[in-house]
Amino acid sequence: MAINQKSYDYGAAKSSIREIAAYGARRREEIGAENVFDFSIGNPSIPAPDEVRESIEQSLKLPPVQLHGYTPAAGLPFVREAVANSLNEQFGTSYQADDLYMTCGAAASLSISFNAVVNPGDEVIVIAPYFPEYRVWIETAGATCVEVMANEDTFQIDIPNLRAAINRRTKAIVINSPNNPVGSIYSKENLEEAAAVIHEAEERFGSSIYLISDDPYRKITYGAEVPWVPSIYDRTIVCYSYSKSLSLPGERIGWVLVPDTNPDHDDLVVAIAGSGRKLGFVCAPAIFQRVVADCVGMPSDVEAYAKNRKALTEGLSKLGYEYIEPQGAFYLWVKALEPDANAFCEKAKSVELLPVASDSFGCKGWVRVGYCVSYETIVNSMAAWEKLANMYK
Ligand code: PLP
């Protein structure tokens, strides 16, 4: 084939989450939206706050040439300064505008970070179950994606598994807390243990290993504290996006932070900029950079998700389903009623329930139920969940 085989393969393989979402859209056309219980995609169901609209309206008063022009590749300095100030207020740090690079969402933040640190032959560890696109971005950066299973009881990082997987080729470890797909939050103790294991490996191999902390769900929590990873492990890079916290997934806006406490800070800042240049991820959307400056300190409106979470967990518990109590994000990790999660999802489809099989996230026997849907969808889905449970009686 004259075109790029690898790109063709990624295009042909498709994202399983998006495939189910597309099936859900077709089904809604066929039988009516109220009859389909689509729990597939992580599209926030709460509206973006009014402040986002107000910020856009203010921006539209600027001269168009100024508003729509190129920004610096890393983003507008006052926007990056606003983000740095907000982080400093939250975490008692002393970050500056130049530690930040504005991006088109977490997808770009992660791709940029992988490309900034890996060389051919390197390995990047992901903690399974994990967001499936990590593999695509790691592989296209030229590294190998190595899955390390989380502790299957707690879904915290499994320290012995992590220790066993790190070797001299390990260049980075991706963590995502609150976690997609499980909703778990890694405790401070768990992260400290992981940090100790990584430092020990760095000493043993004489290498540098980066922790890439993918934080898009940081503000969506139900009471638990989300530790700030750079204060626990020094070689951390933080990836963030406003897709979830401000309900702006279609607008593509986020950032990468190289904390000033990272011992490789100066080189990394250059490599992040170079990586953005290499990938064509420069000048993140200008209007939404300004939205970030205006809305950076806003808490997420998690009330609707908390209500959905309660209805879903209580409803499924009554029906005898087992699940992991989510501490954050908007996903419920439910044990499939048979070992093959794909077969379970096929049965679920027959009653118009659309969760995502855990195989897509690198492990077997579970499904992800995204509760970023309307409250009515959750309540009305219960009869279908009951029918599904009855198929196994
Ligand atoms: N990381 C995780 C864990 C996600 O769940 C997602 C999106 O669902 C992303 C990254 C990508 O986020 P964005 O839409 O900001 O690119």
Side-chain angles (χ1 to χ4, degrees):
M1 190 182 303
I3 59 174
N4 185 279
Q5 182 67 46
K6 203 84 188 126
S7 295
Y8 181 88
D9 292 345
Y10 287 127
K14 300 249 168 48
S15 139
S16 47
I17 300 172
R18 286 187 176 274
E19 291 233 301
I20 300 166
Y23 173 83
R26 281 202 306 279
R27 246 0 234 153
R28 281 193 285 280
E29 296 249 308
E30 286 162 11
I31 61 169
E34 68 285 3
N35 299 314
V36 182
F37 308 108
D38 182 354
F39 295 105
S40 60
I41 203 162
N43 218 357
S45 52
I46 58 172
D50 289 344
E51 285 81 349
V52 167
R53 171 191 293 271
E54 284 156 21
S55 169
I56 295 168
E57 282 169 357
Q58 283 305 319
S59 282
L60 294 178
K61 293 180 187 155
L62 290 170
V65 172
Q66 182 190 345
L67 175 60
H68 301 301
Y70 286 121
T71 72
L76 293 159
F78 79 89
V79 174
R80 293 184 285 132
E81 193 177 324
V83 175
N85 290 343
S86 165
L87 294 172
N88 295 339
E89 263 171 43
Q90 293 172 71
F91 306 115
T93 46
S94 47
Y95 305 139
Q96 296 182 1
D98 286 348
D99 302 335
L100 286 140
Y101 187 98
M102 301 304 293
T103 64
C104 296
S109 304
L110 287 153
S111 295
I112 286 174
S113 300
F114 295 137
N115 275 276
V117 299
V118 306
N119 286 300
D122 285 345
E123 294 182 359
V124 177
I125 289 176
V126 297
I127 310 296
Y130 63 99
F131 182 57
E133 297 307 291
Y134 289 164
R135 174 174 285 281
V136 178
W137 302 327
I138 290 167
E139 289 179 357
T140 50
T144 304
C145 176
V146 176
E147 296 175 2
V148 170
M149 193 57 209
N151 179 301
E152 285 188 70
D153 297 321
T154 62
F155 285 92
Q156 296 280 302
I157 301 168
D158 187 295
I159 302 300
N161 281 356
L162 180 65
R163 185 180 286 115
I166 301 178
N167 62 49
R168 63 180 68 254
R169 290 184 299 280
T170 306
K171 182 49 67 72
I173 298 162
V174 189
I175 55 169
N176 170 225
S177 166
N179 176 264
N180 173 9
V182 179
S184 53
I185 293 177
Y186 300 144
S187 70
K188 187 161 176 279
E189 295 69 38
N190 186 234
L191 290 167
E192 280 169 354
E193 281 182 83
V197 163
I198 304 169
H199 275 314
E200 195 183 283
E202 283 188 319
E203 289 251 316
R204 195 161 8 117
F205 301 121
S207 61
S208 297
I209 302 175
Y210 299 97
L211 206 48
I212 298 180
S213 185
D214 179 25
D215 285 14
Y217 300 98
R218 160 168 293 280
K219 290 199 177 170
I220 301 174
T221 64
Y222 308 103
E225 191 218 343
V226 186
W228 181 239
V229 180
S231 69
I232 296 172
Y233 183 76
D234 56 356
R235 277 199 173 84
T236 296
I237 298 170
V238 183
C239 295
Y240 191 73
S241 123
Y242 296 90
S243 297
K244 317 291 173 173
S245 59
L246 290 179
S247 297
L248 294 174
E251 306 302 351
R252 318 307 302 138
I253 191 75
W255 44 255
V256 180
L257 169 75
V258 180
D260 54 359
T261 44
N262 189 314
D264 308 326
H265 171 271
D266 294 358
D267 287 346
L268 272 175
V269 166
V270 177
I272 291 284
S275 184
R277 181 181 179 197
K278 165 175 148 185
L279 295 167
F281 287 148
V282 289
C283 315
I287 292 179
F288 282 87
Q289 288 192 43
R290 291 172 187 275
V291 166
V292 167
D294 290 336
C295 301
V296 68
M298 288 197 62
S300 290
D301 173 13
V302 291
E303 243 170 69
Y305 299 137
K307 189 174 164 199
N308 285 359
R309 169 180 175 264
K310 187 164 184 288
L312 185 62
T313 52
E314 286 179 0
L316 292 190
S317 271
K318 273 195 204 127
L319 295 171
Y321 287 94
E322 281 177 49
Y323 54 82
I324 300 295
E325 189 76 37
Q327 299 169 292
F330 36 55
Y331 306 104
L332 186 69
W333 194 237
V334 180
K335 190 112 195 136
L337 298 180
E338 61 182 296
D340 181 347
N342 283 310
F344 176 70
C345 284
E346 279 306 309
K347 291 202 179 81
K349 246 185 189 174
S350 72
V351 289
E352 310 302 341
L353 280 176
L354 305 178
V356 182
S358 59
D359 303 60
S360 313
F361 304 98
C363 77
K364 304 241 177 256
W366 298 77
V367 293
R368 186 189 81 170
V369 182
Y371 54 86
C372 46
V373 295
S374 73
Y375 180 69
E376 289 65 42
T377 301
I378 308 253
V379 173
N380 296 339
S381 71
M382 282 304 146
W385 286 108
E386 185 167 13
K387 276 190 210 153
L388 180 61
N390 285 340
M391 290 182 207
Y392 291 89
K393 285 190 176 146

